[in-house]
Amino acid sequence: MLDFVSTRRDVLRTGGALVVAFTFADAALPALAESSSSRKTVESDEVDGFLSIDADGRVTVYSGKVDLGTGLRTALTQIAAEELDVSLDRVGLIQGDTELTPDQGPTWASLSIQIGGMRIRQAAATARKALVEMAAARLGVLATELRIEDGLIKGGDKSISYAELVGGGSFSLKIDKDVPVKDPTSYTIAGKSVPRLDIPSKVTGRFTYMQDFRIEGMLHGRVIRPLAIGARLESVDETSLNGIPGLIKVVREGNFLGVVATTEWGAIQATRKLKATWSNWEGLPEQARLWDYVRATKINSDKVTANVGDSTKALRDAPKHISATYDFAIHTHGSIGPSCAVVEINQGKITCWSASQGTHRLRRQLAAMMDVPLDNVHCLFIEGSGCYGRNGHEDAAGDAALLSRAVGGKPVRVQWMRADEHGWDPKGPPILVDLRAGVNDEGGIIAWESEFFVPGDGLAPMSLVAATLAAVPPTPITEPYRYGNPDIMTTNSAIPYTFPNIKTVAHLLAETPFRWSWVRSPGRLQNAFANECFVDELAAFVGADPLDFRLSHLNDPRGAELLRRLASLAKWEQRRSPRKSHQNDVVAGRGISYAKDFPSPTYVGAVADIEVDRRSGEIRVQRFFVVHDCGQVINPDGVRNQIEGNIIQTLSRTLKEELLFDRSAVTSLHWATYPILTFPEVPDVIIELVDRPTAKPSGAGEPAAAVVPAAVSNAVFDALGVRLRSVPFTPAKVLAAIESSARRPSREL
Amino acid sequence: MPTSVSLDVNGRVVTVEVDDPGMPLLYALRDNLQLKGPRFGCGLGQCGTCAVLLDDEPVLACEISLTKAANKKVVTLEGLGSPEKPSPVQQAFIDEQAAQCGYCLNGMIIHATALLAKTMNPTIPEIKKALADDLCRCGTHLRIIRAVQRAARRA
Ligand code: FES
Ligand code: FES
């Protein structure tokens, strides 16, 4: 398996294009030459958009979806190798290069296999069929009598290779969506735990992350952000930088302020020493009253995600009621390596290297900000530190573009400092959920209603910080088509359970305090948190076992099978919550949570075992049992890796994470004020994968995140009889919940 | 005024020209010597991703100045092994597939190497403690712990 990183700086200057390839081991690969006269197609309905076979029979896959540290590269390579019948080491992958890879929309929502991978499978199957037909004609053997071994098509005593058939040429074929694909039972590469070939170079310091990428003549840029988000830059005293070695320029455009220096350390020192004055600005809500602010925010529109029966009437008629409000804090992406990009401008042509999860989208944004035609911008993806949503990579690219332009187009590398990342990456927005249910005299749930308060369009491109600060007038970014499903954030607010009357509504809010983008499992995480906790509240209210209660309201055989498997994996013992024995200081509890993800039909359930110390309010999560069904699995070990990662990351968000801010800006600007889970706090994760080789593959990763907060909250209820309805579950909140439940011992029936 | 500082990095004596010898070692390793193992994560001593061995002891290269590293033996991730010949700890990370993005692994491997040099058979709590200051955002912790255990078994 090969990895290509394009460094095609000279494409437009020389009229020739050169792709320099680095293997993971940095051994030089022969350069792949192309000529600008036959520019590679990036059309997403063309086989040539996704695949090429060179004269040596080497296959290159061109993927618009990119590997954000998830192992996607390996899985996509497996899919292509399998469907083309070539060995893995014949297949290389180029990702996220706007001149080479089709626009498949941003890499998000765990859709890269489900959508991106399936497109590559279709392209490969279309190519394979064409190759077999060509071989049949050339060999004079019936297509049905041919077989393929590692790119060699054989029939009787004759054979011909892919290279001989198309090597170096193009297919010029539309992708056939209905092309027959291989029978999964015959797979030898897909469905196997292929080791990730990026790992040897990553563990030995040989891998080139975006943060490591360097080109000749490159200068170093850093940004100086306003002290308050909406502050005006009033003055800059450039003499404060006298004596900084290597300083080239202080760059000011509107409220955008940055420096360029010959060395990275010079640039960092310049940002520390530069004297600038900013106006006051206090436009953020008061953190202590955040939820009042959210509740008072103007609602742009309502989206009804489920409407069954007549919940208003049923609630009115119900003899017993239960209601609760859940909230989920503002989170930061928190990539370990701050965002980084390199931009160079040559004769008006912009080349941008970044770890953007959507290079085609970034290209449109850069073209608009820099006021150049789209054709003059070339964006190339280079894998960076893991990212879990649209973090700051695109913004760093915008910064680098302005800085490069200010120094005559010389290549400028911008890496954000930690405070830039914590302070200015777009945030996971605050979400508030109201729930109510009606219960009849027999303990039956007759009505369920919920209202979610969520920001509006989560799929629109987030503007570049540099464009906003430099006051570049907003240019509408025309997207060729809407990627993904705009309902992705809200659809899961509908519940997977059958009650006779249900109404779930998402109030789409006009604004939210910070520039926002979603962090892992957008919306679905918050929806599942509220829904799965409230289901647990209902089970406790009617005195049912939480697992039984779910099963008895689940009309979905695949989901029911998953829950049964979870019960046996976790050795679930039937019981009601809370447990009786909660007089000790440290009390154990166990909670369950379940979700059917959207838009992927991935099913996931979890049981969390926890201990909570009633004196300190500290929750210790000992283990998570997870059963996960994402249909066909391409790389089982890769899926397990994703599940473990999502459980641990989301546990961190659940127990610890909350953005801090004052009226002007973010104040949690580093890891001491925005702590994340550390090794001593990490639980065991025990996973069972349901493999359905003949089913369609669906998303893996984010679905596992969605079940975490409710499993923990429900376990705390099991242990102590108190409900945690506000993420993060800090010790202070646990203590407050214990205290208030002591004052108000049980919910009125 | 550019100053020359001589360093012993991965067994080679090299001279770097810098404007400020008070600069953190990290930038000399990354920018002057083009090493990619030690990485910038926070620059504040909070994440561990910049760790290197200095006379066999783990230190944070974002915090220690270049002058303090002169005349001492610096070993980076590259100095432990290569993809063709990984160190036992690196091999264990490969065997356990202990990476997602892998950006944090420099700190993990440097600290695990230092731990195993002193503690033959660390318990899981000892491993967790040794890595407590190394942050991983992808949630690769369990695989990292298994990799350290595997390396310990092999040693
Ligand atoms: S970069 Fe040195 S500890 Fe984070
Ligand atoms: S593997 Fe990505 S930060 Fe640890």
Side-chain angles (χ1 to χ4, degrees), chain A residues 424-583:
Chain A
W424 290 82
D425 74 328
K427 305 302 176 196
I431 308 284
L432 187 69
V433 188
D434 288 333
L435 298 125
R436 32 186 188 272
V439 184
N440 67 18
D441 288 325
E442 291 73 47
I445 311 302
I446 54 171
W448 170 293
E449 279 190 355
S450 65
E451 293 173 74
F452 287 74
F453 296 79
V454 298
D457 190 352
L459 297 185
M462 167 56 49
S463 61
L464 300 173
V465 177
T468 307
L469 292 176
V472 176
T475 311
I477 306 298
T478 47
E479 298 275 27
Y481 57 90
R482 284 307 293 250
Y483 308 104
N485 188 321
D487 297 340
I488 188 166
M489 322 296 181
T490 52
T491 295
N492 274 29
S493 62
I495 43 173
Y497 305 106
T498 52
F499 300 122
N501 301 285
I502 301 173
K503 184 160 190 186
T504 59
V505 180
H507 300 306
L508 303 181
L509 304 179
E511 56 181 29
T512 183
F514 294 89
R515 244 165 48 93
W516 67 285
S517 80
W518 292 91
V519 186
R520 275 252 170 101
S521 198
R524 294 113 84 204
L525 172 57
Q526 291 83 356
N527 303 341
F529 164 51
N531 286 343
E532 282 298 303
C533 284
F534 198 59
V535 164
D536 211 75
E537 295 205 39
L538 294 183
F541 190 79
V542 301
D545 170 79
L547 174 63
D548 276 354
F549 184 81
R550 284 174 172 78
L551 279 170
S552 63
H553 292 96
L554 199 60
N555 184 16
D556 183 334
R558 203 164 149 185
E561 180 192 335
L562 183 112
L563 279 175
R564 288 200 191 93
R565 288 174 77 151
L566 178 62
S568 86
L569 180 71
K571 300 196 171 53
W572 183 265
E573 284 170 8
Q574 274 207 341
R575 45 124 184 113
R576 295 156 69 163
S577 283
R579 300 181 187 202
K580 291 282 175 277
S581 60
H582 49 87
Q583 293 319 310

Side-chain angles (χ1 to χ4, degrees), chain A residues 141-158:
Chain A
V141 180
L142 282 178
T144 46
E145 279 163 25
L146 294 172
R147 60 183 199 284
I148 309 176
E149 280 168 26
D150 194 11
L152 194 64
I153 307 182
K154 297 182 177 174
D157 54 355
K158 298 185 218 165

Side-chain angles (χ1 to χ4, degrees), chain B residues 34-88:
Chain B
Q34 310 268 305
L35 290 166
K36 299 187 282 193
R39 310 185 211 293
F40 177 79
C42 64
L44 303 164
Q46 295 177 339
C47 74
T49 192
C50 62
V52 298
L53 295 173
L54 193 66
D55 283 349
D56 302 324
E57 288 297 323
V59 295
L60 299 175
C62 74
E63 290 205 311
I64 183 163
S65 74
L66 197 49
T67 26
K68 287 236 177 74
N71 305 318
K72 297 199 172 145
K73 285 205 331 249
V74 180
V75 175
T76 71
L77 195 59
E78 289 94 335
L80 296 179
S82 63
E84 299 72 35
K85 222 170 162 297
S87 74

Side-chain angles (χ1 to χ4, degrees), chain A residues 25-26 69 195-196 199-200 202-209 211-212 214 245 264-265 268-269 332-334 336-338 385-386 388 415-418 637 640-642 644-645 648-649 652 657 670-672 676 678-680 682-683 685, chain B residues 19-20 22-24 27 30-31 34 36-37 39-42 44 46-47 49 77-78 81-84 86 90 93-94 97-105 108-109 128 131-132 134-146:
Chain A
D26 264 7
R196 276 173 49 180
I199 293 182
K202 283 181 171 174
V203 300
T204 51
R206 290 349 190 248
F207 189 86
T208 300
Y209 289 93
Q211 283 85 351
D212 302 316
R214 277 152 175 70
E264 187 168 20
W265 184 238
I268 293 170
Q269 283 175 301
T332 237
H333 294 262
I336 294 297
S385 177
Y388 321 98
Q415 176 157 17
W416 281 6
M417 301 304 283
R418 176 48 52 196
D637 190 61
R640 286 174 181 275
N641 200 351
Q642 277 293 289
E644 285 175 18
I648 290 170
Q649 185 185 74
S652 175
E657 296 181 27
H670 49 64
W671 297 116
I676 60 173
T678 61
F679 273 93
V682 163
V685 181
Chain B
D19 296 313
D20 169 16
M23 172 175 94
Y27 299 101
R30 289 184 58 78
D31 293 336
Q34 310 268 305
K36 299 187 282 193
R39 310 185 211 293
F40 177 79
C42 64
L44 303 164
Q46 295 177 339
C47 74
T49 192
L77 195 59
E78 289 94 335
S82 63
E84 299 72 35
Q90 290 169 327
F93 272 69
I94 297 169
Q97 292 287 289
Q100 288 192 52
C101 79
Y103 196 88
C104 65
L105 293 184
M108 307 296 175
I109 292 170
K128 288 182 169 177
L131 301 178
D134 292 297
L135 299 181
C136 172
R137 184 52 161 168
C138 296
T140 312
H141 304 70
L142 295 171
R143 285 168 183 247
I144 293 169
I145 295 168
R146 293 201 286 270

